Amino acid sequence: MFQDISLPDLLASKEKETHTLVDVRSPKEFNEATIPGSINIPIFNDEERAEVGTIYKQQGVEAAKERGLQIFSQKLPAFIAEFKQIETPMTVFCWRGGMRSKTAATVLELMGIRANRLMGGIRTYRQWVVQELENQQFKPKLFVLNGYTGSGKTAILQRLSKHGYPVIDLEKMAGHRGSIFGQIGLEPSNQKKFDSLLISEIRRYQDEPFVFIEGESKRIGKVYLPPFLNEKKENSLQLFLHLPVEERVRNILEDYQPWEYPHHFEEAFQLIKKRIHTPIAKQIEEALESHDFALAIKLLLEYYYDPKYEYSTKHYPDKQRITIEAATTDDAFQKILQMVKVSNQHSN
């Protein structure tokens, strides 16, 4: 018989040894939110799950079970074959630790494949995440990376991470770049997915002396920062990057690649058009329509984003600010490394 495992025991087991978590829910459910690091081996695909759900509502539980068994029995060999490729201890889970994970664990047991089942499913994990975020005390100090739009903050965070520095990339977890055009070309996260990724990163870096983070607002796309992290961010050391506008335009073009989604950019611009002086707004609109994205971005920076940025950063006192003047993103990165080196020397 397979063994049920509690969430605390599962988390402890994951810290001791490599452990594979398998989400047996549908791909849509998996993409909406799962336990970070899990893989998806679904019992039903999205269409099959919808069909079984409809039968359950219209004909009742027994009819739904019968149809579910018909569907699953046909895909059983492929289902088992995927699990046979897993070489570590494993735990399966569904939404509530109910029929789907029980079916998966039972079938695997019959085939000689040992798998635990997470008690309470991902719902229990979600409850734990919410509780953790409400009671969290994040110990490391933060270096908060700020800068005018296009200053290469995300690229610098990625480079810092590659060099082994602890980084929490909020925009990556949110699936949003933090501007009116920020979701274009990305898949925005919902709050459940964001919270799960965030608590995983927080636990990962809890014992680090410092962590780099980007200076985001409380809301990033569709998600919100938990109050404890937003408050700590606001009270931490703020690094302000100053790059030439031409360099910032290049960074934005490289990051957003507006020529790939021209109509999305035109549509997004309509949301802020009224906030820009009419002649300038007309100029930006014409530049977007003619695919002169460099001009459109330059005008947006000068007449929309830069004034907003200057207003939002005025409340930080001088002792909480470090200004980094740089010619390029690479130059800014090197100066940040030097700043960290000096900071570590002082703290030692």
Side-chain angles (χ1 to χ4, degrees):
M1 184 67 180
F2 65 84
Q3 182 177 345
D4 283 337
I5 186 171
S6 68
L7 181 63
D9 287 344
L10 176 59
L11 295 174
S13 178
K14 272 174 61 65
E15 290 181 0
K16 291 177 183 176
E17 62 179 353
T18 304
H19 195 105
T20 302
L21 299 178
V22 184
D23 190 334
V24 298
R25 298 175 305 150
S26 68
K28 182 180 178 182
E29 293 172 287
F30 176 78
N31 289 329
E32 286 176 352
T34 191
I35 301 174
S38 301
I39 63 172
N40 185 212
I41 305 179
I43 283 184
F44 302 130
N45 62 30
D46 297 332
E47 293 75 19
E48 292 162 349
R49 175 175 173 256
E51 180 188 349
V52 172
T54 299
I55 293 172
Y56 175 80
K57 290 176 184 177
Q58 295 177 351
Q59 301 177 38
V61 64
E62 290 304 320
K65 282 182 179 180
E66 186 174 330
R67 179 57 184 145
L69 182 59
Q70 290 173 352
I71 293 171
F72 185 50
S73 61
Q74 294 174 3
K75 61 205 311 183
L76 201 51
F79 185 79
I80 296 297
E82 287 198 65
F83 276 93
K84 282 185 175 179
Q85 295 177 30
I86 300 172
E87 298 178 348
T88 69
M90 68 183 85
T91 295
V92 298
F93 64 90
C94 58
W95 170 237
R96 288 181 294 188
M99 185 61 68
R100 285 182 287 180
S101 58
K102 182 178 181 181
T103 299
T106 301
V107 167
L108 291 171
E109 183 79 14
L110 290 172
M111 297 302 297
I113 302 172
R114 185 63 186 273
N116 298 321
R117 180 179 70 154
L118 176 61
M119 295 166 57
I122 196 172
R123 185 173 67 168
T124 295
Y125 176 76
R126 174 61 185 164
Q127 291 167 346
W128 173 80
V129 167
V130 171
Q131 187 175 18
E132 284 288 300
L133 290 177
E134 285 177 352
N135 302 317
Q136 188 61 234
Q137 296 290 327
F138 194 46
K139 294 182 288 186
K141 69 178 181 180
L142 296 180
F143 289 136
V144 186
L145 217 57
N146 295 274
Y148 289 103
T149 302
S151 295
K153 300 182 292 293
T154 299
I156 289 172
L157 287 178
Q158 291 170 349
R159 287 185 66 179
L160 286 166
S161 181
K162 286 180 181 177
H163 278 69
Y165 290 98
V167 169
I168 294 180
D169 191 339
L170 297 172
E171 288 188 356
K172 182 178 180 181
M173 291 188 290
H176 199 283
R177 299 185 189 90
S179 73
I180 197 70
F181 307 102
Q183 82 288 353
I184 296 174
L186 300 176
E187 184 178 345
S189 297
N190 58 29
Q191 193 69 47
K192 289 180 182 178
K193 185 174 184 178
F194 177 78
D195 288 348
S196 295
L197 293 170
L198 180 60
I199 196 64
S200 179
E201 291 294 272
I202 284 172
R203 284 169 58 87
R204 177 184 177 189
Y205 293 131
Q206 188 65 269
D207 296 324
E208 295 286 346
F210 63 85
V211 172
F212 282 98
I213 198 169
E214 190 166 343
E216 299 288 350
S217 60
K218 187 175 182 180
R219 178 181 174 182
I220 313 170
K222 296 181 178 181
V223 304
Y224 291 85
L225 293 181
F228 82 90
L229 186 60
N230 189 62
E231 183 179 342
K232 186 176 182 74
K233 173 180 67 69
E234 288 298 296
N235 293 320
S236 295
L237 184 64
Q238 310 290 319
L239 312 181
F240 289 92
L241 307 180
H242 285 189
L243 271 70
V245 68
E246 294 78 14
E247 178 73 5
R248 293 161 54 207
V249 170
R250 278 194 293 272
N251 287 338
I252 292 170
L253 287 172
E254 184 178 329
D255 189 21
Y256 283 78
Q257 300 185 3
W259 50 86
E260 297 286 344
Y261 314 92
H263 297 303
H264 290 102
F265 278 82
E266 291 172 30
E267 290 170 4
F269 176 67
Q270 298 305 314
L271 301 174
I272 59 172
K273 182 179 176 181
K274 292 180 180 179
R275 304 179 204 172
I276 302 172
H277 190 45
T278 303
I280 301 299
K282 189 172 186 298
Q283 219 179 328
I284 295 171
E285 196 164 38
E286 289 173 351
L288 288 172
E289 289 171 356
S290 64
H291 293 191
D292 188 351
F293 298 113
L295 176 60
I297 290 167
K298 189 173 185 298
L299 292 171
L300 278 165
L301 292 178
E302 185 176 353
Y303 292 98
Y304 182 71
Y305 284 107
D306 288 4
K308 277 186 66 179
Y309 171 79
E310 288 166 3
Y311 176 79
S312 67
T313 58
K314 283 181 178 177
H315 65 282
Y316 294 113
D318 290 342
K319 65 180 181 180
Q320 200 182 336
R321 305 164 59 108
I322 293 179
T323 300
I324 298 174
E325 299 282 352
T328 64
T329 302
D330 183 64
D331 184 27
F333 173 70
Q334 297 300 332
K335 288 180 176 177
I336 289 171
L337 291 183
Q338 185 60 33
M339 183 276 302
V340 172
K341 185 177 179 181
V342 171
S343 176
N344 286 340
Q345 288 172 348
H346 287 168
S347 61
N348 293 334

